[in-house]
Amino acid sequence: MRQKMILALTLAGVLSGQAQNVTDNYFRSPFDFPILLSANFGELRPNHFHNGLDIKTQGVTGKPIYCIADGYVSRVAVLHGGYGQALYITHPNGLTSVYGHVVSFAKNIQAYVRQYQYAHETFTCDLKFQPGQFPVKKGDIIALSGNEGASAGPHLHLELRQTETGEYIDPMPYFKRFLKDSKAPVASLIGIYPIQGEGVVNGSTQKKLLNVNALRQPIHAWGKIYTGISAKDYMDGTSNFYGVHSVTLYVDSVQVFNSTTDRVLPDENRMINGFTDYDELTRTRRLIMRSYKLPGNRLRLLRTDENRGAVNINEERDYHFRYVLEDNFGNRRTYAFTIKGKRQDIPAYKPEADEMLYWNRTNIIQQPGMELVVPRYYVYDNVPLHTRVKGDSSHIAFDYVLDAGRTPIHSYCDLSIGLRHKPVADTTKYYIVQKAGKWRSSMGGKYENGWVKTRIRSLGTFSVDVDTVAPRITPVGQGGWRSNRQIRFRISDTESGIGTYKVYIDGKFVLFGLKKGILVIQDPEKVKKGVPHKAEVTVTDQCGNTARKEYKF
């Protein structure tokens, strides 16, 4: 009896595990029309992987979005950027589906969100719900598609996440039955990279980029090198291009590298900058996937041999390289080329730098009146750092040059800059600014005991500035407010940036969203036609400077 019970429990566990892996019918399509994608999971983006599927909505907003499986609404987030308005539904199979850029939620959810926004006089909110509050069934209309937040056109951004860990999961296996794809990925460039101080390519320590149509030209190398590839995928029925799901590199028929983009943890997103050729991206916007794992890059989707994907060209013979690119539908394409081993001198690598940033330790960079802390793993390899102090003692603070070339920083680092002078007594008016020629960007910051402190995620030139100027408010289309009630204001701040805003009409708070610098009324029905109104707009910047304007219409 005991053995039968154990067998039954074991079988139940196996079946349960299988049920969570079933991709055929568990999720339905979020739309009632044939779907096409404008982006897939894992598509390469600056500083992150694309974490879901972008589904086209036929060029318009307002398409009904259907719940893809039973569950409950566990979260609603409303932001100015990012996903704009997003809905999260937790399912019994351990996954949570996310619907981004929606223009509105189902009526009961929309009413709850609006009540919160008006009660707290805020547009942005992040609300969490218990399982019993908003249960939903497969096929329920949960939202209307939109173009909210950081969206370049009407579409639905659909994600699947592991509920417990927040890990992004490729939705394609669950939805591929709704799509058609008979097209294999296509490569455009091959990159050949000598490792500094350990290898050369065609007698040079510089990388060599080749069009795939020129792979037959002779390539000579010696010592340690690695390669990279730039490629895109395509699908039937659309001219869009997508990320390549799987890249595998063989050298002399031995696999030395594979990347399969099927899941990404939130903290891994910026590790894309260690996977791609960051220098090439920042100079030319070309995205090249390196078949090499930098020592400080912990991105799990990169699978290499013990040499992290590097190839030691140490014999005078032909080395046969072969890339295999594959998409989610099994379409694949192969690119082969030969690198000839040719004995060449390898120049020693001696970085000329004031300091080094080490990938495996915490780095504390100090200059008179400045301290920068770069934690362990925040750079992906050892990087030379050039530091310089500019300016004179009459300035609020010196300019501090922190130059590591085109080096990505994984996450936010603490930067502190001391004040040499305080032309303004109010210490809330000081902030750290990043400079590049005439370009200026506020990094924010708080004053504390003679220092202004903030967090930065890129290197460059930094100093302290002061902001005593209030934001600007300009009405948009005021002549039509009376008839169309589409009340809008353009707001801007050239110093520390916009902090908060509120709009009152006839003394009552009315909800406005901020879209590309324009305040847009969300509930125009709250403004009655045919009667006079007074709008009061208050905008405060990051340093506490406030602008107030009144408009009658």
Side-chain angles (χ1 to χ4, degrees):
M1 180 67 181
R2 185 172 180 271
Q3 288 179 332
K4 289 182 179 180
M5 185 175 293
I6 292 173
L7 179 60
L9 290 172
T10 303
L11 181 60
V14 170
L15 292 174
S16 175
Q18 289 176 345
Q20 293 192 16
N21 292 322
V22 168
T23 57
D24 288 342
N25 298 304
Y26 191 86
F27 292 125
R28 60 153 286 165
S29 171
F31 292 111
D32 59 2
F33 53 83
I35 63 173
L36 295 171
L37 303 184
S38 57
N40 67 339
F41 182 88
E43 186 174 305
L44 306 177
R45 301 284 178 88
N47 299 315
H48 71 286
F49 295 94
H50 188 248
N51 296 134
L53 303 179
D54 281 354
I55 303 176
K56 295 184 177 186
T57 55
Q58 303 176 334
V60 298
T61 62
K63 293 288 187 179
I65 300 172
Y66 296 92
C67 184
I68 61 175
D70 292 356
Y72 70 94
V73 178
S74 53
R75 180 184 176 191
V76 166
V78 179
L79 306 168
H80 291 129
Y83 298 158
Q85 299 190 124
L87 188 75
Y88 298 68
I89 294 179
T90 297
H91 306 285
N93 69 339
L95 297 179
T96 293
S97 55
V98 183
Y99 311 77
H101 306 304
V102 305
V103 70
S104 63
F105 308 110
K107 288 184 178 180
N108 58 338
I109 302 168
Q110 186 75 18
Y112 187 99
V113 173
R114 277 291 190 268
Q115 183 180 15
Y116 179 93
Q117 289 172 316
Y118 277 93
H120 295 81
E121 296 191 352
T122 178
F123 175 76
T124 62
C125 57
D126 191 350
L127 309 176
K128 309 289 176 60
F129 304 112
Q130 296 301 313
Q133 283 185 267
F134 295 108
V136 287
K137 289 290 186 180
K138 187 175 185 177
D140 287 351
I141 295 177
I142 53 174
L144 298 180
S145 68
N147 188 29
E148 306 300 298
S151 173
H155 73 282
L156 169 66
H157 175 83
L158 177 66
E159 287 180 4
L160 291 180
R161 300 185 188 183
Q162 285 284 356
T163 302
E164 291 300 318
T165 64
E167 183 178 28
Y168 303 103
I169 305 297
D170 185 2
M172 189 70 85
Y174 294 89
F175 296 95
K176 62 191 297 183
R177 72 186 190 275
F178 303 114
L179 298 159
K180 185 178 181 182
D181 184 357
S182 61
K183 298 181 179 181
V186 178
S188 57
L189 289 174
I190 297 289
I192 305 167
Y193 300 79
I195 295 178
Q196 290 182 317
E198 299 184 66
V200 289
V201 175
N202 285 355
S204 172
T205 59
Q206 300 300 309
K207 67 187 176 188
K208 185 174 182 61
L209 301 182
L210 294 171
N211 187 288
V212 292
N213 297 321
L215 290 178
R216 291 184 178 181
Q217 68 175 266
I219 307 165
H220 299 99
W222 195 251
K224 292 183 178 180
I225 67 167
Y226 63 88
T227 60
I229 190 167
S230 180
K232 297 174 181 177
D233 193 21
Y234 298 86
M235 298 183 73
D236 297 355
T238 175
S239 60
N240 293 84
F241 57 82
Y242 311 94
V244 179
H245 178 65
S246 175
V247 177
T248 307
L249 173 65
Y250 300 90
V251 179
D252 295 335
S253 299
V254 177
Q255 181 177 316
V256 299
F257 174 87
N258 170 265
S259 65
T260 301
T261 313
D262 53 9
R263 53 182 59 224
V264 176
L265 283 166
D267 187 54
E268 291 181 306
N269 251 329
R270 280 184 68 89
M271 294 178 192
I272 192 175
N273 293 328
F275 173 32
T276 59
D277 182 342
Y278 189 76
D279 169 76
E280 193 67 25
L281 172 64
T282 53
R283 287 191 303 105
T284 69
R285 310 307 296 169
R286 291 190 291 196
L287 282 158
I288 301 176
M289 298 173 282
R290 297 191 287 193
S291 304
Y292 178 66
K293 191 171 186 177
L294 294 174
N297 193 354
R298 295 165 292 142
L299 185 59
R300 295 170 304 154
L301 63 86
L302 305 182
R303 302 172 181 89
T304 70
D305 58 10
E306 65 275 8
N307 297 315
R308 301 200 308 275
V311 179
N312 192 8
I313 309 293
N314 57 6
E315 298 178 31
E316 292 194 304
R317 64 174 178 86
D318 288 353
Y319 289 77
H320 301 282
F321 287 67
R322 179 167 55 95
Y323 271 109
V324 178
L325 310 180
E326 187 171 359
D327 64 19
N328 281 93
F329 294 78
N331 303 302
R332 62 171 60 184
R333 197 183 302 271
T334 298
Y335 292 87
F337 56 98
T338 300
I339 295 180
K340 296 179 177 291
K342 181 179 180 181
R343 194 177 299 274
Q344 306 168 59
D345 290 335
I346 300 175
Y349 175 58
K350 296 179 181 179
E352 297 179 1
D354 308 301
E355 302 190 55
M356 293 289 293
L357 294 177
Y358 295 97
W359 67 268
N360 58 351
R361 68 178 74 167
T362 296
N363 303 268
I364 301 177
I365 311 302
Q366 294 179 320
Q367 290 288 342
M370 185 280 297
E371 181 180 89
L372 171 69
V373 179
V374 181
R376 184 173 63 162
Y377 301 132
Y378 275 33
V379 291
Y380 306 121
D381 202 352
N382 296 336
V383 180
L385 176 69
H386 300 272
T387 60
R388 190 153 53 98
V389 182
K390 299 193 305 181
D392 59 53
S393 57
S394 64
H395 293 171
I396 296 174
F398 288 129
D399 285 2
Y400 295 93
V401 179
L402 303 168
D403 181 10
R406 292 182 172 89
T407 296
I409 304 297
H410 179 64
S411 191
Y412 289 99
C413 306
D414 292 327
L415 174 66
S416 302
I417 297 180
L419 296 186
R420 299 192 62 80
H421 298 284
K422 290 170 61 177
V424 175
D426 185 353
T427 57
T428 65
K429 305 304 179 187
Y430 295 97
Y431 67 98
I432 289 180
V433 62
Q434 185 173 4
K435 304 178 178 181
K438 294 182 179 181
W439 176 81
R440 299 285 189 276
S441 181
S442 170
M443 298 291 107
K446 298 293 182 183
Y447 177 87
E448 184 180 322
N449 298 323
W451 296 78
V452 180
K453 301 182 178 183
T454 193
R455 308 188 78 200
I456 61 172
R457 204 164 56 170
S458 63
L459 299 180
T461 300
F462 300 90
S463 190
V464 174
D465 213 334
V466 62
D467 182 4
T468 58
V469 180
R472 295 177 182 175
I473 304 172
T474 306
V476 178
Q478 187 175 0
W481 289 359
R482 180 179 177 180
S483 57
N484 59 28
R485 297 183 292 185
Q486 295 301 316
I487 304 169
R488 301 183 176 209
F489 306 92
R490 178 176 288 107
I491 62 175
S492 62
D493 187 86
T494 58
E495 298 284 341
S496 59
I498 300 296
T500 61
Y501 65 86
K502 287 184 180 181
V503 180
Y504 295 86
I505 296 180
D506 301 331
K508 294 181 179 180
F509 174 81
V510 176
L511 190 66
F512 277 69
L514 180 60
K515 302 180 180 182
K516 298 180 180 180
I518 306 291
L519 291 181
V520 180
I521 190 169
Q522 301 298 291
D523 300 313
E525 66 276 6
K526 290 186 175 290
V527 180
K528 294 181 180 180
K529 288 185 177 181
V531 297
H533 298 285
K534 182 176 74 172
E536 304 169 71
V537 187
T538 302
V539 182
T540 302
D541 64 24
Q542 298 285 354
C543 285
N545 304 297
T546 299
R548 294 183 178 87
K549 291 288 186 70
E550 292 186 2
Y551 303 92
K552 293 181 179 180
F553 63 99

